[in-house]
Short mmCIF file of all heavy atoms in Angstrom, two decimals:
data_model
loop_
_atom_site.label_atom_id
_atom_site.label_comp_id
_atom_site.label_asym_id
_atom_site.label_seq_id
_atom_site.Cartn_x
_atom_site.Cartn_y
_atom_site.Cartn_z
N MET A 467 -35.78 10.17 42.75
CA MET A 467 -35.99 11.54 42.67
C MET A 467 -36.27 11.97 41.30
O MET A 467 -35.68 11.62 40.18
CB MET A 467 -34.83 12.38 43.13
CG MET A 467 -34.92 13.75 42.90
SD MET A 467 -33.63 14.90 43.56
CE MET A 467 -32.17 14.04 43.67
N PRO A 482 -55.11 33.04 31.06
CA PRO A 482 -56.45 32.69 30.73
C PRO A 482 -56.70 32.56 29.29
O PRO A 482 -57.40 31.66 28.72
CB PRO A 482 -57.30 33.86 31.28
CG PRO A 482 -56.49 34.41 32.45
CD PRO A 482 -55.08 34.21 32.03
N ALA A 486 -57.82 29.45 26.96
CA ALA A 486 -58.91 29.60 26.10
C ALA A 486 -58.63 29.00 24.73
O ALA A 486 -59.57 28.28 24.18
CB ALA A 486 -59.38 30.97 26.02
N GLY A 487 -57.40 29.24 24.18
CA GLY A 487 -57.08 28.66 22.89
C GLY A 487 -57.02 27.12 22.99
O GLY A 487 -57.48 26.48 22.03
N GLY A 500 -70.12 15.10 25.20
CA GLY A 500 -70.74 15.32 26.64
C GLY A 500 -69.67 15.67 27.53
O GLY A 500 -69.88 15.56 28.77
N GLY A 502 -66.83 18.18 29.47
CA GLY A 502 -66.55 19.53 29.96
C GLY A 502 -65.04 19.77 29.89
O GLY A 502 -64.30 18.87 29.92
N SER A 510 -55.07 28.91 37.12
CA SER A 510 -56.45 29.30 36.95
C SER A 510 -56.83 30.28 38.04
O SER A 510 -57.99 30.72 38.09
CB SER A 510 -57.25 28.02 37.06
OG SER A 510 -57.23 27.44 38.21
N PRO A 512 -56.39 33.95 39.56
CA PRO A 512 -55.81 35.13 39.25
C PRO A 512 -54.87 35.71 40.36
O PRO A 512 -55.27 35.52 41.59
CB PRO A 512 -57.10 36.08 39.07
CG PRO A 512 -58.02 35.20 38.56
CD PRO A 512 -57.80 33.89 39.29
N ILE A 524 -60.43 17.44 31.50
CA ILE A 524 -61.55 17.02 30.63
C ILE A 524 -62.40 16.11 31.46
O ILE A 524 -61.94 15.23 32.09
CB ILE A 524 -61.02 16.05 29.47
CG1 ILE A 524 -59.88 16.81 28.63
CG2 ILE A 524 -62.05 15.64 28.68
CD1 ILE A 524 -60.46 17.93 27.84
N ALA A 529 -67.15 6.49 33.22
CA ALA A 529 -65.98 5.72 32.81
C ALA A 529 -66.13 5.03 31.44
O ALA A 529 -65.14 4.92 30.72
CB ALA A 529 -65.75 4.70 33.92
N SER A 531 -67.16 6.31 28.93
CA SER A 531 -66.84 7.31 27.77
C SER A 531 -65.41 7.40 27.56
O SER A 531 -64.95 7.87 26.57
CB SER A 531 -67.29 8.63 28.29
OG SER A 531 -68.67 8.67 28.60
N GLY A 551 -49.92 7.39 38.87
CA GLY A 551 -49.95 7.12 40.37
C GLY A 551 -51.06 7.81 41.15
O GLY A 551 -51.12 7.82 42.40
N ILE A 552 -52.03 8.54 40.43
CA ILE A 552 -53.16 9.20 41.08
C ILE A 552 -54.53 8.69 40.44
O ILE A 552 -54.86 9.02 39.47
CB ILE A 552 -53.05 10.68 40.84
CG1 ILE A 552 -51.71 11.29 41.34
CG2 ILE A 552 -54.32 11.32 41.45
CD1 ILE A 552 -51.47 12.66 41.25
N ARG A 555 -57.55 9.98 37.80
CA ARG A 555 -57.05 11.11 36.97
C ARG A 555 -56.23 10.56 35.99
O ARG A 555 -55.19 10.07 36.27
CB ARG A 555 -56.31 12.09 37.97
CG ARG A 555 -55.86 13.31 37.06
CD ARG A 555 -54.74 14.12 37.86
NE ARG A 555 -53.52 13.45 37.68
CZ ARG A 555 -52.36 13.84 38.03
NH1 ARG A 555 -52.20 14.93 38.77
NH2 ARG A 555 -51.30 13.05 37.84
N GLU A 556 -56.66 10.43 34.77
CA GLU A 556 -55.90 9.80 33.69
C GLU A 556 -55.16 11.00 32.89
O GLU A 556 -55.69 12.07 32.59
CB GLU A 556 -56.88 9.27 32.72
CG GLU A 556 -57.73 8.15 33.42
CD GLU A 556 -56.81 6.97 33.99
OE1 GLU A 556 -55.73 6.59 33.51
OE2 GLU A 556 -57.22 6.54 35.06
N GLN A 564 -49.81 22.14 17.09
CA GLN A 564 -50.30 23.45 17.32
C GLN A 564 -49.34 24.07 18.41
O GLN A 564 -49.01 23.48 19.28
CB GLN A 564 -51.74 23.48 17.78
CG GLN A 564 -52.66 23.04 16.67
CD GLN A 564 -54.11 23.42 16.91
OE1 GLN A 564 -54.43 24.48 17.40
NE2 GLN A 564 -54.90 22.44 16.67
N PRO A 565 -49.07 25.42 18.36
CA PRO A 565 -48.18 26.09 19.27
C PRO A 565 -48.89 26.45 20.53
O PRO A 565 -49.00 27.59 20.88
CB PRO A 565 -47.78 27.35 18.35
CG PRO A 565 -48.96 27.65 17.53
CD PRO A 565 -49.57 26.32 17.20
N HIS A 570 -50.73 20.49 31.12
CA HIS A 570 -50.97 19.10 31.50
C HIS A 570 -52.47 18.92 31.28
O HIS A 570 -53.24 19.57 31.66
CB HIS A 570 -50.62 18.87 33.08
CG HIS A 570 -49.16 18.99 33.23
ND1 HIS A 570 -48.78 19.43 34.63
CD2 HIS A 570 -48.11 18.76 32.62
CE1 HIS A 570 -47.49 19.49 34.58
NE2 HIS A 570 -47.07 19.00 33.43
N MET A 573 -57.96 13.58 32.49
CA MET A 573 -59.25 13.20 32.16
C MET A 573 -59.85 12.56 33.57
O MET A 573 -59.27 11.81 34.10
CB MET A 573 -59.48 12.14 31.15
CG MET A 573 -60.94 11.90 30.66
SD MET A 573 -61.09 10.54 29.53
CE MET A 573 -59.91 10.90 28.25
N ARG A 576 -66.98 12.81 35.72
CA ARG A 576 -67.83 13.86 36.45
C ARG A 576 -68.17 13.31 37.86
O ARG A 576 -68.62 12.13 37.98
CB ARG A 576 -69.06 13.98 35.53
CG ARG A 576 -69.96 15.13 36.20
CD ARG A 576 -71.20 15.40 35.35
NE ARG A 576 -70.75 16.41 34.19
CZ ARG A 576 -70.52 16.15 33.07
NH1 ARG A 576 -70.56 15.04 32.48
NH2 ARG A 576 -70.11 17.16 32.22
N SER A 578 -66.18 12.75 40.23
CA SER A 578 -65.09 11.91 40.93
C SER A 578 -64.45 12.72 42.00
O SER A 578 -64.40 13.87 42.08
CB SER A 578 -64.06 11.43 39.87
OG SER A 578 -63.39 12.52 39.30
N LEU A 587 -60.23 23.22 45.23
CA LEU A 587 -58.98 23.94 45.50
C LEU A 587 -59.07 25.25 44.68
O LEU A 587 -58.84 26.36 45.12
CB LEU A 587 -57.85 23.16 45.29
CG LEU A 587 -56.35 23.83 45.54
CD1 LEU A 587 -56.27 24.23 47.02
CD2 LEU A 587 -55.25 22.94 45.04
N LEU A 591 -59.29 28.98 46.33
CA LEU A 591 -58.26 30.10 46.25
C LEU A 591 -58.69 31.29 45.45
O LEU A 591 -58.26 32.43 45.82
CB LEU A 591 -57.00 29.40 45.60
CG LEU A 591 -56.32 28.36 46.39
CD1 LEU A 591 -55.29 27.66 45.56
CD2 LEU A 591 -55.70 28.89 47.65
N ASP A 597 -55.68 33.22 51.41
CA ASP A 597 -55.15 31.70 51.25
C ASP A 597 -54.31 31.63 49.96
O ASP A 597 -53.38 30.93 49.98
CB ASP A 597 -56.28 30.73 51.34
CG ASP A 597 -56.81 30.57 52.73
OD1 ASP A 597 -56.06 30.85 53.77
OD2 ASP A 597 -57.97 30.04 52.90
N GLN A 606 -43.37 29.17 46.36
CA GLN A 606 -42.06 29.67 46.21
C GLN A 606 -41.05 29.19 47.03
O GLN A 606 -39.99 28.87 46.68
CB GLN A 606 -42.09 31.16 46.39
CG GLN A 606 -42.98 31.91 45.28
CD GLN A 606 -43.25 33.46 45.65
OE1 GLN A 606 -43.41 33.68 46.78
NE2 GLN A 606 -43.41 34.23 44.63
N PRO A 613 -35.31 22.85 43.96
CA PRO A 613 -35.28 23.34 42.63
C PRO A 613 -35.15 22.26 41.50
O PRO A 613 -35.47 22.57 40.36
CB PRO A 613 -34.15 24.28 42.56
CG PRO A 613 -33.33 23.76 43.67
CD PRO A 613 -34.18 23.26 44.75
N TYR A 614 -34.74 21.13 41.90
CA TYR A 614 -34.61 19.96 40.94
C TYR A 614 -35.30 18.65 41.40
O TYR A 614 -34.82 17.60 40.87
CB TYR A 614 -33.09 19.79 40.49
CG TYR A 614 -32.47 20.88 39.78
CD1 TYR A 614 -31.84 21.82 40.42
CD2 TYR A 614 -32.75 21.07 38.40
CE1 TYR A 614 -31.33 22.96 39.86
CE2 TYR A 614 -32.16 22.12 37.75
CZ TYR A 614 -31.48 23.09 38.39
OH TYR A 614 -31.09 24.19 37.81
N GLU A 621 -44.55 17.35 47.53
CA GLU A 621 -44.74 16.90 48.94
C GLU A 621 -44.74 18.05 49.89
O GLU A 621 -45.48 18.14 50.87
CB GLU A 621 -43.60 15.95 49.27
CG GLU A 621 -43.77 15.26 50.62
CD GLU A 621 -42.69 14.19 50.86
OE1 GLU A 621 -42.37 13.52 49.98
OE2 GLU A 621 -42.28 14.08 52.04
#
Side-chain angles (χ1 to χ4, degrees):
M467 171 177 25
S510 71
I524 300 291
S531 304
I552 301 177
R555 184 196 80 173
E556 303 300 325
Q564 291 194 47
H570 293 154
M573 189 186 309
R576 183 174 275 103
S578 68
L587 180 63
L591 293 173
D597 284 337
Q606 290 169 328
Y614 291 98
E621 185 176 323

